[in-house]
Amino acid sequence: MMKKIVLFFCLLVATTAMYAQQVAPSFGAPLGVELLLSANFGELRPDHFHSGLDFKTQGRTGLKVYAADEGYVSRIAISPWGYGKALYINHPSGYTTVYAHLDAFVGAIADTLLQLQYEKESFAIDTILAPGVLPVTKGMYIAKSGNSGSSGGPHLHFEIRHTASESPIDPLPWYRHLINDNVAPDPRLVTVYHHDKAVAGNPIPKSALQLQSVSSNTYNATADVEAWGRVSLGIKAYDKMTGTTNIYGVHSVRCWVDDSLIYSSTIDSITFAETRYINSLIDYHELRSNKGSTIMRTALLPGNKLSTIYDTLPTEGMWVIDQERMYHCMYELTDLYGNTSRVKFDIKGVPTETATTTSTSDDVIYFDYNHDNEYATEQMNIYIPAGALYDNLNFMYKMKESVEGYSSLHRIHNRTVPLHKWCEVAIKLTCDTLPDEKYYLQYSYDDKKSPIIGRYEAGWYVARVRSLGNYKVMADVDAPKIVARKPENWVANGKISFNITDKGSGIATYRGEIDGNYCLFEYDAKTNRLSCNMKDYPFKKGVTYTLSLVVTDHCGNSNRVKNTIKL
C-alpha cells in the first residue's frame, strides 16, 4: 500500500512539474467550422471589458468544441447565470483556455461532472481538478457549444488566460490566419467635454460632433465647436470585420491635439480585478441615459486605476484652451490587423464665462472619492467606502412617501454615477407588520425592478448595493409558481421540464427528488426553466415513480408539486 502511495505522489509531482514548464503555445481552433466572431476581446460591456472571443456557431447549439492544446481540465464551473456551463483547461505553456456557455460536456468530462453534481446534490458547482484527473490532447472533442448562462444567443465564448494570474489576454493573435479582416473601424461620434462649464451636481456639459466620410477611412466633423478653458474629448466608435455585420470593440485608440499626443490606449490584456474600472473609461452618464451608448473618454478620472490599457501620457487626456485660434484634433482608430480610420475636427478657442463650481441647493453634500463617505437621515443611511467613486461627487438625496411597499421611496443620488465597490444602504421600515425574513430591498429604474437580498435589523433593512438610484423596502409572502411543461410527453421525450417563476424576491433554491432520492435538474435562469434528463437517473421500465419538486424564494416562501411517472 505504501509503494502505491509513493508512486502516486511521484506521478503527481512529475505531472505538476511538466505543466509548470513554460513552452511556446500553439493553439488550435476550438470549433470545426469557419471562424467568425460575434464579439472580440476588450469590447465595452456594462461594468466590464469582454474577456475573450465569441465565436459564431451558425445560430445553433450542439457544435463540437475541441481543446485548443494539450493539457488537463483544471476547473469545471456550472451556473444558471454568467458563463453557464464552462470548462477550463491548463496547458504546459503556462496558459489556460476557457470554453463557456456550453450546452454539454462529452466523454469522461461529462461523467465526472454528473458524478460531482450528484455528490454535491447541486446543479451549480465550481470545482478545481488535479492535473491527472482529466487529461486532454490537442484537438480532443470536449464539449458541445450552447447558449447557457447569461448568453444572449448560441455561441462559444473562448478565453486565453495566464494560468498564474488568471488574467485574460486577447486570443485573436493566434487565430488571425483563420479570420479575415480588411475593414477599418467605424467612428460614429466625437464629443468635446467643457469642464469649466460644469455645475456642481450635474454631468460635465458636452458638445457632440457628427461625422462624415471624406475619403477612404478618413472622417471629418460636419461642424466646428467652440470651447474655452479645460476640455477633454470622447469618441463613439466600433470595429467591423470582413464577412459579418457585427460591431466590435476598437483595439487601439490614439488622439492628437496640434500634433501633440494627448491620449493612447490599446486593449490586449485586462485583469478581472480591474475590469469594472471600465466605468471610469467610458461616459457613464451617456451609457445610462442614452440606451447603452458607449463613448470612450480621454480624461482620466482620479479614481481610474486601469493599469493595462493606457500608455503613460503627461496631460491625463485633458488640456486647456486659452488662445483665440483653431485647435486641430485627430483621432486614430486601429484594429489588430492594422486597419486604420482617422477622424479630424477643429475646436475654436472662444472666451466664455466659467460656470460656478458650487451649488446653491441645500440638498447637495460633497463626497470625496478618496475617503469614506456616509450620509444619514431618520429613515435612510448610506455608507460609500473610499475608492467606490471614481471622482468627487456632489451627492444628492430625496425621499417621498410610497403607497406601495413597506418604506418610503429613497432617491439616493441617481444611477448615472457609477459605484466601483459595494456600499451599504439601510432603510427604515414605515410598516413593520410581517416576519423579519419576508422583507427585501427593491431597486428600480426605467420601469424595471430588481430585488436585492440583505438582512432585517430592528426595524431597518440593510443590504449591500453597487448602484445609486431608487430604493425601497418590499415584502414577499407569496410562494414561487411551478408549472409542469407537457408532462404527458416526459417519458417519450426523455426529459422532465418545469417553468418556475417568482415575482417578488426571486428564486433562491430548488430541489427535485424521485421517491425521496435526489434527482438532478438543470436550471436556465433566463428562460425560468428546470429540466431533468431522464437518462441520467436509473429509471426502470414498468415502475411507477413519485417526483417531488420544491422551489423556495429568497424570503423563505416555498412551493411543492408532485407528479407520478411511469415508464
Side-chain angles (χ1 to χ4, degrees), residues 496-511:
I496 303 169
S497 183
F498 292 90
N499 273 9
I500 59 172
T501 55
D502 187 83
K503 293 184 178 180
S505 57
I507 303 296
T509 63
Y510 67 90
R511 181 179 176 86

Side-chain angles (χ1 to χ4, degrees), residues 260-417:
S260 294
L261 185 66
I262 69 157
Y263 177 87
S264 179
S265 66
T266 301
I267 307 177
D268 53 20
S269 67
I270 58 173
T271 69
F272 288 117
E274 294 182 0
T275 191
R276 193 175 175 88
Y277 283 110
I278 190 175
N279 293 331
S280 63
L281 165 69
I282 64 173
D283 183 336
Y284 194 82
H285 182 273
E286 174 79 7
L287 175 79
R288 292 304 184 198
S289 60
N290 193 16
K291 299 179 180 179
S293 173
T294 51
I295 296 175
M296 296 172 282
R297 297 185 54 185
T298 63
L300 304 184
L301 298 180
N304 181 345
K305 295 184 179 180
L306 282 169
S307 65
T308 61
I309 75 167
Y310 295 116
D311 294 329
T312 302
L313 298 171
T315 63
E316 296 188 342
M318 187 186 305
W319 82 100
V320 177
I321 292 182
D322 55 5
Q323 299 177 35
E324 295 184 59
R325 65 176 178 87
M326 285 293 189
Y327 291 77
H328 306 294
C329 307
M330 184 179 75
Y331 267 105
E332 186 177 82
L333 313 172
T334 307
D335 64 22
L336 195 86
Y337 292 74
N339 302 304
T340 300
S341 293
R342 293 176 178 84
V343 180
K344 299 178 180 180
F345 56 100
D346 292 333
I347 302 176
K348 185 178 182 180
V350 177
T352 57
E353 292 185 7
T354 301
T356 178
T357 58
T358 59
S359 173
T360 58
S361 172
D362 294 333
D363 296 331
V364 175
I365 303 94
Y366 180 78
F367 280 2
D368 188 324
Y369 82 96
N370 208 29
H371 292 84
D372 293 345
N373 297 279
E374 189 168 9
Y375 180 76
T377 70
E378 292 182 353
Q379 293 193 37
M380 191 282 300
N381 177 276
I382 182 168
Y383 170 71
I384 300 178
L389 297 169
Y390 300 117
D391 202 354
N392 300 328
L393 174 67
N394 287 293
F395 176 80
M396 294 179 290
Y397 165 76
K398 290 184 179 180
M399 181 194 76
K400 68 176 183 179
E401 294 183 2
S402 175
V403 296
E404 179 190 27
Y406 288 75
S407 76
S408 299
L409 175 64
H410 299 268
R411 180 168 296 174
I412 305 173
H413 203 78
N414 61 70
R415 67 187 297 262
T416 62
V417 172

Side-chain angles (χ1 to χ4, degrees), residues 43-270:
E43 279 188 16
L44 309 179
R45 300 287 180 85
D47 300 323
H48 70 285
F49 294 95
H50 190 237
S51 56
L53 302 178
D54 285 351
F55 289 112
K56 294 188 176 187
T57 56
Q58 302 175 337
R60 56 194 176 99
T61 64
L63 270 62
K64 291 184 177 181
V65 177
Y66 304 101
D69 202 359
E70 65 173 319
Y72 69 93
V73 176
S74 58
R75 179 183 174 191
I76 300 175
I78 309 296
S79 172
W81 303 275
Y83 281 19
K85 298 178 183 179
L87 196 66
Y88 299 70
I89 298 178
N90 284 6
H91 305 285
S93 56
Y95 291 93
T96 298
T97 51
V98 183
Y99 314 76
H101 304 309
L102 300 169
D103 183 65
F105 303 129
V106 297
I109 302 174
D111 295 339
T112 300
L113 170 62
L114 188 62
Q115 179 182 344
L116 290 169
Q117 289 175 317
Y118 268 94
E119 286 177 357
K120 298 176 183 294
E121 295 191 350
S122 175
F123 164 68
I125 65 168
D126 192 347
T127 300
I128 304 298
L129 301 174
V133 176
L134 289 173
V136 300
T137 56
K138 184 174 183 177
M140 179 177 168
Y141 176 30
I142 54 174
K144 296 178 180 180
S145 68
N147 186 31
S148 59
S150 300
S151 169
H155 71 279
L156 172 65
H157 176 84
F158 177 79
E159 295 180 13
I160 296 178
R161 302 181 183 182
H162 291 290
T163 301
S165 65
E166 296 189 8
S167 297
I169 60 175
D170 192 349
L172 191 54
W174 280 277
Y175 300 100
R176 286 179 58 174
H177 64 292
L178 299 175
I179 301 173
N180 295 322
D181 184 6
N182 55 20
V183 184
D186 178 18
R188 303 286 181 86
L189 183 78
V190 165
T191 53
V192 179
Y193 293 88
H194 307 269
H195 293 266
D196 288 338
K197 288 186 177 181
V199 176
N202 294 324
I204 298 172
K206 61 177 179 277
S207 301
L209 300 179
Q210 302 299 323
L211 305 178
Q212 61 182 3
S213 176
V214 294
S215 63
S216 178
N217 301 330
T218 300
Y219 301 79
N220 285 351
T222 56
D224 298 331
V225 65
E226 296 179 354
W228 194 256
R230 294 176 303 145
V231 299
S232 63
L233 301 174
I235 189 165
K236 180 178 181 178
Y238 303 101
D239 196 14
K240 294 288 192 71
M241 299 190 79
T242 303
T244 76
T245 58
N246 297 79
I247 56 175
Y248 309 91
V250 179
H251 179 67
S252 177
V253 178
R254 295 195 291 173
C255 183
W256 288 264
V257 176
D258 290 340
D259 298 323
S260 294
L261 185 66
I262 69 157
Y263 177 87
S264 179
S265 66
T266 301
I267 307 177
D268 53 20
S269 67
I270 58 173

